[in-house]
Amino acid sequence: AKYLGRNRYEFYVPASRTLLADSNRLSSELLRALENDEIFPQYQLQFDARTRNVVGAECLARWRHPTRGILGPDKFLTIAEEYGVLAQIDGLILEKALIDQAAWRAEGIAPPKISVNVSARRLTDPDLARGLSDLDIKPGTVSFELLESVFLDRQDAAVMSNLDMLRRLAIDIEIDDFGTGHASIVGLLNLKPTTLKIDRQLIEHVPDSQEQRILVKSIIQIARSLGIKVTAEGVETEEHARILSRLGCDVLQGYGLARPKSFEDVTQMLRDKKSA
Ligand code: C2E
Ligand code: CA
Ligand code: CA
């Protein structure tokens, strides 16, 4: 029901009823999906802005649904959050990505650094350190992408001690969707992230808006002067890539360079690059 002002509601019964039924069905299926190992990562390669060499791969959660095909995070992350299994999904994506990364290494392919998305729930988990210490994480090969919003509560002791632990394990800290939240740039930079990942919304109009170019350029200059790297996401065209590289961006990611791909497809791409 949509609230239209004092005591006035409008009901969209038919549409919302089917939507609700649909998400109810997915909810009960998600727990089963976790048991049946239906959640897995796809990989979107990231490129050095100057050399265009592959430097990383963002691991994006997918659900191989038995009847609906492959579902993206828009279909299940909210449900996962409601059911309290989002941190579990973050963890299993990391574990699977580490296995895939080891397979690349075994094949003699220079393995890209893997970037995983980490929910606030997971970053505040006091058991995160123990979980990570069980994994074989090589220094400098893994990156955690954290949303601006998780830093707003800087008083959270678990967050602070987990960030220290990430630094000790040489796991990079990236601030994801940078520029969309309400956190102050100074507050964020105080946390000494390895990388700022500028949100797609800020990147989109870089080719046609001088204001956006100035904004992005200023962010890059501040970050660089503090030794923080900058990644641009949502790089959709060669023009975007050229401009962002000229503005001093370090790493580029977007459909214009590579779409998210299955392990098999991304492995083939890495092999082709190796022999090229
Ligand atoms: P994100 O972290 O901002 O990830 C980038 C999203 O933008 C991905 O969508 C990717 O497919 C899409 N994208 C990449 N390049 C382009 C482009 O050039 N243009 C456009 N329009 N889109 C592009 P996806 O895979 O649907 O993921 C959506 C969001 O779900 C992610 O946004 C991230 O916040 C969340 N997510 C994905 N996997 C996980 C996970 O394992 N754990 C958690 N907590 N969140 C995840
Ligand atoms: Ca991300
Ligand atoms: Ca984003």
Side-chain angles (χ1 to χ4, degrees), residues 147 176-178 197-201 233:
L147 294 175
D176 206 354
D177 291 358
F178 182 79
K197 198 164 178 185
I198 305 180
D199 191 70
R200 183 163 77 229
Q201 286 181 47
E233 66 169 29

Side-chain angles (χ1 to χ4, degrees), residues 44 47 52 234-238 240-241 253-259:
Q44 186 176 30
F47 301 83
R52 296 290 175 96
V235 178
E236 295 194 344
T237 65
E238 183 52 39
H240 281 93
Q253 177 183 351
Y255 291 165
L257 297 160
R259 295 210 161 230

Side-chain angles (χ1 to χ4, degrees), residues 10-59:
E10 203 174 84
F11 291 92
Y12 303 95
V13 178
S16 65
R17 189 177 282 156
T18 46
L19 257 179
L20 198 66
D22 200 48
S23 86
N24 277 342
R25 190 159 345 102
L26 278 180
S27 303
S28 57
E29 287 175 345
L30 180 61
L31 300 179
R32 198 218 52 229
L34 282 164
E35 282 169 22
N36 291 354
D37 202 26
E38 290 167 10
I39 310 289
F40 67 100
Q42 281 190 346
Y43 298 94
Q44 186 176 30
L45 294 176
Q46 302 172 324
F47 301 83
D48 182 291
R50 276 158 295 274
T51 64
R52 296 290 175 96
N53 288 333
V54 174
V55 289
E58 179 170 7
C59 312

